[in-house]
Amino acid sequence: MTRNENQMYSDITSIRKSLEKIANALETNVPTTPKPKDIPGFEGTLDALDVLTDIKTITDDYASKENLANMTEARDYYKEKYEDTLTPTSDNPNPAGYSNAYETDLQGIRVDSDHDIRSTAAYYEENLNCNDLGNPEAYKFRTKKDCILDYVTNEFGLHGARYTDIIKFAYYLGSPNAPKYTSADRGYYSCAFATRFGGHLIKGGKDCLVKGINKEGDERYFALSSVDNFTDYYKRIA
């Protein structure tokens, strides 16, 4: 077991013990100091101050961590290992593994705060490799890279797209009803931006992504084929 894992389980154990004290106190319905026999396995006394002191100790311990990167690593490990125990939140009403049931629109697209980008990704997927001559998008998108570059141009225009905008669209492209995108999904798709992993979005083919400065002075991604329409300065991504 790694140091991070040991730390994680140590912290979880501390939290569990405090929560057990609270739960046991509530079960015995004793608002003041109960006798040891009233709480199985608990020796001593318990009141609101004890609970608050325990919680403060735990939160202070977290706040004093010097290596936040290790904490993040431990958190991500715990999240991945116990994903099916997560409960919904307002930001993520349908976390992966929580429930297979979700609301959809008339097109069968999952309805949540990412509904717009899900629908857009489904539109591109529908027209990918389309051979219907009656469809104005026929033969326009032959690869997912074509879809991504077109999305960046048409969706963001002169503002350009952020890295997360592109990664998020790539995540839903081909899988519009996937569990809601989180930062944990960035790693796999980031390979398309790294030359040592192929970097197919930033090089090769008839078009690729470049970095340009938008009208607000922010560095954003643009398609090489259209960047001249949006900014006077851009650079290829090494």
Side-chain angles (χ1 to χ4, degrees), residues 20-178:
E20 284 178 351
K21 289 182 181 180
I22 297 171
N24 286 329
L26 292 174
E27 287 176 2
T28 56
N29 196 28
V30 179
T32 57
T33 304
K35 297 178 181 179
K37 67 181 180 63
D38 294 324
I39 302 179
F42 175 68
E43 298 180 357
T45 60
L46 175 68
D47 57 26
L49 182 59
D50 290 322
V51 175
L52 291 175
T53 300
D54 280 344
I55 293 176
K56 184 178 186 301
T57 299
I58 295 170
T59 54
D60 285 350
D61 182 53
Y62 268 97
S64 67
K65 302 296 184 185
E66 295 182 357
N67 193 338
L68 295 180
N70 287 340
M71 288 179 60
T72 301
E73 180 182 339
R75 179 205 64 195
D76 291 343
Y77 171 84
Y78 182 82
K79 178 181 177 183
E80 179 180 355
K81 188 173 180 63
Y82 301 102
E83 187 77 47
D84 60 345
T85 66
L86 296 180
T87 55
T89 66
S90 58
D91 293 331
N92 189 3
N94 291 296
Y98 175 74
S99 174
N100 292 325
Y102 50 82
E103 182 183 356
T104 61
D105 63 13
L106 295 178
Q107 285 72 45
I109 305 300
R110 190 170 184 159
V111 177
D112 60 10
S113 59
D114 280 348
H115 179 257
D116 288 346
I117 192 171
R118 290 178 184 276
S119 298
T120 303
Y123 162 80
Y124 277 95
E125 181 69 20
E126 180 183 348
N127 289 287
L128 185 61
N129 292 315
C130 175
N131 298 322
D132 179 8
L133 295 180
N135 185 336
E137 306 292 1
Y139 297 102
K140 182 176 180 180
F141 308 118
R142 310 313 297 170
T143 66
K144 288 190 175 182
K145 179 180 179 181
D146 292 338
C147 296
I148 293 170
L149 294 173
D150 189 80
Y151 171 74
V152 168
T153 298
N154 288 295
E155 187 74 14
F156 299 95
L158 58 83
H159 296 290
R162 299 171 304 167
Y163 174 83
T164 300
D165 296 324
I166 300 170
I167 293 295
K168 196 171 186 179
F169 176 74
Y171 172 79
Y172 288 123
L173 185 60
S175 186
N177 286 331

